[in-house]
Amino acid sequence: MNGPFAFTLALGDDALIAAQRLAEWTTRAPEMEEDIALANIALDQLGAARLLLSYAGELEGAGRDEDALAYLRDDREFRNCLLVELPNGDFAVTMAKLLLLSAYQLPLYTALSRCADERLAAIGGKARKESAYHLDHAALWVKRLGEGTPESHRRMQAGIEEVWPYVGELFAGWPQAPVDPATLRADFDEVVSAVLAEATLTVPESAWAPAGGRDGLHTEHLSYLLAEMQVLHRAHPGARW
C-alpha cells in the first residue's frame, strides 16, 4: 500500500492502538487524578483514530468504515508502529512511551495541518492541540520520576531504555506521504533530549532498531490486544445499541 490511504491508515492505527493501551490504566493508575488524565488522553487518541480511519475508508473506496477497519482486520493488516502495541509495563514505561509518542505526533500533526489535503489538514489542526497536552503531561511525569527518589529515577531510566529502540521506526522515510516522517526527527530529538536532561536521565544508545509495523509485521502483543478489543464486535456482527 502506498499513497494517502496507507499513510492515513497507519496514523489511524497508531492512535487506535495507543488508545486501547492507555485505556488499560483505567482504575489502575497510581492516583485518582492520573486515572482520569490517562483516560482522557486515551479518548483523545480514540477521537483522532476515528477521524483518520473514517477518512482512510473513504480513500480506500472499498466500502469499509471506521468500525470495519478497527474491528474486522487481523494483526497482519494493521499498520501501526510497534511502539504503541508494547505492553504498558509499570507506570514509568507508560510515561516513557507517551513521551516518545507525543513528541512524534505533535510535529507530525502540526506539519499535517499545513498539508495540501484539506481533510488531513483539518484532522492535524485538531489533533496537534491534544498532542501538545499529551507531551506536557508525559514530560511532567518523566521529570518528576527522574528527579525523585533513587528508585523512581532507576525505573524511569529503565523505562526510557526499554522503549527507545522503537523510535527509529517512527521516522522511517516515506517520501510519497503527505508528510514525510523523516523530516521530523530533528524536532523530536530536540524536545526529548531537553526533557531527559531536565529529568537527569540519559538518552539511550541502541544499535537495535526493530521495525515492520508499517508493513504488518508486529510483535506477539498486538494479537492479544486485538483479541480483547475486537471480541464484542465479532461476537455480535451488525449489532446496534
Side-chain angles (χ1 to χ4, degrees):
M1 293 187 299
N2 291 306
F5 166 65
F7 180 75
T8 305
L9 183 67
L11 299 194
D13 286 348
D14 284 350
L16 178 66
I17 303 305
Q20 182 72 10
R21 275 290 183 232
L22 286 168
E24 293 173 1
W25 275 103
T26 305
T27 74
R28 294 178 172 85
E31 55 191 39
M32 186 177 296
E33 185 177 357
E34 187 60 23
D35 201 297
I36 296 171
L38 289 178
N40 282 332
I41 293 173
L43 284 172
D44 288 342
Q45 293 282 3
L46 183 60
R50 293 191 63 191
L51 293 172
L52 289 160
L53 292 179
S54 292
Y55 187 40
E58 294 176 27
L59 290 171
E60 183 187 33
R64 294 197 290 183
D65 61 8
E66 59 180 288
D67 285 344
L69 288 172
Y71 297 120
L72 299 178
R73 287 182 294 154
D74 295 327
D75 60 333
R76 292 296 294 267
E77 297 175 272
F78 274 76
R79 295 297 183 264
N80 59 277
C81 62
L82 300 181
L83 175 68
V84 295
E85 69 193 49
L86 299 177
N88 284 326
D90 64 17
F91 188 68
V93 172
T94 292
M95 286 302 106
K97 285 177 61 182
L98 184 58
L99 175 69
L100 302 184
L101 179 63
S102 55
Y104 157 70
Q105 286 182 327
L106 178 55
L108 175 64
Y109 287 141
T110 299
L112 205 62
S113 70
R114 300 190 293 263
C115 78
D117 186 310
E118 292 184 359
R119 286 281 295 278
L120 287 177
I123 294 170
K126 178 182 184 298
R128 67 176 178 174
K129 301 171 185 176
E130 297 165 346
S131 294
Y133 163 70
H134 303 167
L135 179 58
D136 286 344
H137 186 81
L140 286 171
W141 270 109
V142 169
K143 294 172 188 176
R144 182 176 176 182
L145 295 173
E147 295 182 295
T149 66
E151 177 64 11
S152 71
H153 178 92
R154 182 191 69 79
R155 284 175 176 258
M156 194 65 251
Q157 182 66 52
I160 290 291
E161 291 176 358
E162 181 174 331
V163 299
W164 189 262
Y166 297 88
V167 166
E169 182 184 31
L170 301 176
F171 301 99
W174 202 335
Q176 70 274 27
V179 174
D180 186 350
T183 64
L184 308 174
R185 182 61 193 260
D187 291 336
F188 171 91
D189 286 336
E190 181 179 358
V191 169
V192 172
S193 295
V195 172
L196 296 184
E198 191 171 343
T200 68
L201 299 168
T202 303
V203 177
E205 295 182 6
S206 176
W208 182 53
R214 300 301 191 209
D215 298 316
L217 303 176
H218 296 279
T219 69
E220 68 273 19
H221 308 298
L222 182 63
S223 295
Y224 292 106
L225 181 151
L226 293 178
E228 181 175 342
M229 187 183 80
Q230 297 175 338
V231 60
L232 185 62
H233 186 94
R234 291 190 179 225
H236 304 280
R240 293 292 183 266
W241 304 98

